[in-house]
């Protein structure tokens, strides 16, 4: 009687993929190298199986395509695969490790992102690059002009005002001024790009049903709402709001032993960009609370009496993450999206 493959680990790459499959007893039934153009043809000939793919670039694409063929596809974070790599690292051993990792009962999987989610995340990523470029250009202008005795105030808005005054009255040579004009023009171009990306994100958040619901929370703007929806995917991937908060690295790191529980700083695991947005939003809530505004003013001010503002901001970000998950879970459970 022929053995049946029930689980496959697929190591993806640019051109050469490797599939490793096992039966219900964990015995190897499949080990095959596949060219990129033949991957879907190969899996179309197989009966529905559980396929594991390491979460990385293009993994969501392959997850969507394989699901169309009727397979159950799971994306898994690389850190959960590494413990099962028991031999030297190569493509076949990686596929074997993936195959083993997805069989473990307590592993958390990564949601497969839709094309719509990847589209808005692309806007976020390109926007972040423009912000980094703008900062780099401003610092370059500061550094160059400091060599000629010109020092500008900290802060982007103050810098821009002082640059206008500087460009109209200085004693630098035409060559230096030409370079500075070119650099500053690049700064302004990046600002226009960032403003355009902000408008795209705002429009997307206002039109998406789940993101629009999240905008009703204090400290949540279009950037945060769209990033949460696009990054999280299906909220049912998480069992609770606390697990979602832990996934973002907003829960204390544990140092427990011998029955003694000791908690330290937050773990800072997960998506750094999304965690940063939540903490910035929490600082806005703290500012509102100082003025007696906001839904959670009493909670914030009570915590402020015993903790520094930075700690309170992180605590509120964790609280915010749980509320965001609860709203997404409720909305998606009703089938409205």
């Amino acid at each position: 009687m022929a053995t049946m493959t029930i689980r496959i680990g697929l190591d993806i790459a640019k051109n050469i993929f490797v599939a490793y499959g096992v039966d219900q007893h964990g015995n190897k039934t499949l080990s095959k190298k596949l060219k990129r153009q033949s991957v879907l043809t190969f899996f179309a000939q197989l009966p529905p199986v559980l396929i594991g793919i390491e979460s990385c670039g293009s993994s969501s694409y392959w997850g969507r395509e394989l699901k169309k063929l009727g397979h159950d596809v799971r994306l898994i974070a690389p850190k959960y695969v590494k413990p099962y790599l028991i031999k030297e690292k190569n493509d076949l051993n990686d596929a074997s490790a993936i195959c083993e990792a997805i069989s473990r009962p307590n592993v958390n999987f990564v949601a497969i992102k839709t094309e719509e989610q990847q589209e808005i995340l692309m806007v976020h990523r390109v926007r972040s690059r423009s912000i980094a470029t703008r900062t780099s250009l401003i610092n370059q202008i500061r550094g160059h002009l400091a060599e000629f005795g010109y020092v500008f105030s900290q802060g982007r808005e103050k810098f821009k005002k002082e640059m206008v005054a500087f460009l109209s009255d200085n004693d630098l040579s035409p060559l230096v001024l030409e370079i500075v004009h070119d650099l500053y023009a690049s700064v302004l171009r990046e600002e226009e790009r960032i403003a355009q990306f902000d408008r795209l994100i705002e429009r997307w958040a206002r039109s998406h049903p789940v993101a629009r619901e999240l905008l009703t929370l204090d400290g949540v703007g279009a950037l945060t709402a769209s990033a949460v929806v696009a990054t999280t995917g299906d909220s049912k991937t998480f069992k609770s709001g606390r697990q979602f908060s832990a996934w973002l690295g907003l829960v204390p790191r544990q140092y427990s032993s011998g029955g003694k529980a000791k908690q330290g700083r937050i773990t800072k695991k997960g998506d750094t960009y999304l965690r940063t947005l939540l903490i910035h939003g929490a600082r806005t809530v703290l500012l509102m609370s100082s003025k007696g505004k906001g839904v959670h003013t009493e909670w914030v001010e009570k915590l402020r009496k015993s903790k520094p503002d930075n700690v309170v901001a992180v605590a509120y970000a964790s609280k915010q993450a749980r509320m965001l998950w609860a709203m997404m879970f409720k909305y998606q459970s009703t089938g409205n999206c």
Side-chain angles (χ1 to χ4, degrees):
M1 181 178 177
T3 56
M4 179 179 294
T5 300
I6 64 165
R7 191 171 69 250
I8 294 176
L10 180 63
D11 182 63
I12 64 176
K14 290 183 179 179
N15 298 310
I16 303 298
F17 293 28
V18 176
Y20 180 93
V22 298
D23 61 16
Q24 60 182 346
H25 302 295
N27 299 318
K28 182 174 75 171
T29 59
L30 173 68
S31 177
K32 189 174 182 65
K33 285 187 178 181
L34 301 166
K35 291 185 178 180
R36 181 184 182 89
Q37 57 269 27
S38 63
V39 171
L40 295 181
T41 303
F42 172 78
F43 280 98
Q45 299 171 353
L46 295 180
V49 295
L50 173 62
I51 302 174
I53 302 175
E54 207 170 53
S55 179
C56 59
S58 79
S59 59
S60 283
Y61 164 76
W62 289 108
R64 292 193 300 268
E65 294 302 312
L66 291 171
K67 286 189 73 173
K68 291 177 184 177
L69 299 176
H71 299 294
D72 182 8
V73 184
R74 308 281 177 85
L75 302 188
I76 183 170
K79 67 179 180 180
Y80 294 132
V81 176
K82 190 173 182 180
Y84 299 99
L85 185 63
I86 57 177
K87 298 179 181 179
E88 293 182 357
K89 179 175 172 57
N90 57 47
D91 293 344
L92 179 60
N93 289 340
D94 285 347
S96 174
I98 295 170
C99 185
E100 179 64 25
I102 62 173
S103 70
R104 312 317 299 169
N106 296 321
V107 172
N108 295 324
F109 296 104
V110 178
I112 298 174
K113 294 180 178 59
T114 65
E115 289 186 356
E116 182 186 31
Q117 290 168 339
Q118 290 189 309
E119 287 169 2
I120 195 62
L121 281 178
M122 183 172 68
V123 179
H124 277 271
R125 302 296 182 254
V126 179
R127 177 183 179 274
S128 295
R129 188 201 64 179
S130 287
I131 291 175
T133 301
R134 180 184 64 185
T135 302
S136 177
L137 288 166
I138 290 175
N139 289 339
Q140 191 173 25
I141 294 172
R142 289 180 185 275
H144 286 313
L145 292 181
E147 297 295 335
F148 295 94
Y150 290 91
V151 179
F152 295 86
S153 301
Q154 293 296 315
R156 180 168 48 87
E157 293 302 324
K158 288 183 179 180
F159 169 81
K160 288 168 60 178
K161 290 180 180 178
E162 293 177 9
M163 271 300 296
V164 173
F166 162 79
L167 291 173
S168 62
D169 182 18
N170 62 80
D171 57 358
L172 296 179
S173 68
L175 176 60
V176 174
L177 284 177
E178 182 180 352
I179 299 300
V180 172
H181 270 286
D182 182 70
L183 288 172
Y184 189 57
S186 297
V187 171
L188 298 180
R189 282 195 297 271
E190 290 301 330
E191 291 212 322
E192 290 176 2
R193 286 166 55 83
I194 294 166
Q196 175 63 18
F197 294 141
D198 286 342
R199 288 191 290 270
L200 289 173
I201 292 171
E202 179 78 26
R203 186 162 62 244
W204 189 91
R206 297 291 178 186
S207 62
H208 193 280
V210 181
R212 192 167 55 243
E213 286 289 318
L214 302 185
L215 288 172
T216 59
L217 290 175
D218 290 341
V220 176
L223 280 175
T224 303
S226 58
V228 167
V229 171
T231 304
T232 305
D234 186 1
S235 62
K236 297 175 185 176
T237 306
F238 304 96
K239 298 178 182 178
S240 65
R242 191 188 186 285
Q243 190 182 70
F244 178 59
S245 180
W247 178 67
L248 291 173
L250 288 169
V251 298
R253 186 186 300 273
Q254 289 194 37
Y255 300 88
S256 302
S257 180
K260 296 181 180 179
K262 183 179 178 181
Q263 295 182 332
R265 299 179 178 181
I266 59 172
T267 64
K268 294 186 179 180
K269 295 180 180 179
D271 194 299
T272 302
Y273 177 70
L274 190 51
R275 184 172 62 252
T276 301
L277 288 177
L278 286 172
I279 292 176
H280 283 330
R283 295 188 193 283
T284 303
V285 172
L286 264 63
L287 182 61
M288 293 171 57
S289 178
S290 299
K291 300 176 181 179
K293 300 178 181 178
V295 178
H296 301 103
T297 300
E298 184 178 346
W299 184 89
V300 170
E301 294 304 318
K302 182 179 179 181
L303 195 58
R304 261 178 160 171
K305 293 179 180 178
S306 58
K307 302 291 182 183
D309 276 5
N310 283 342
V311 175
V312 177
V314 173
Y316 189 84
S318 180
K319 182 182 182 72
Q320 189 82 290
R322 300 181 192 204
M323 291 188 290
L324 289 166
W325 177 85
M327 292 180 70
M328 287 189 293
F329 184 82
K330 181 179 179 182
Y331 197 88
Q332 292 173 348
S333 296
T334 58
N336 292 328
C337 59

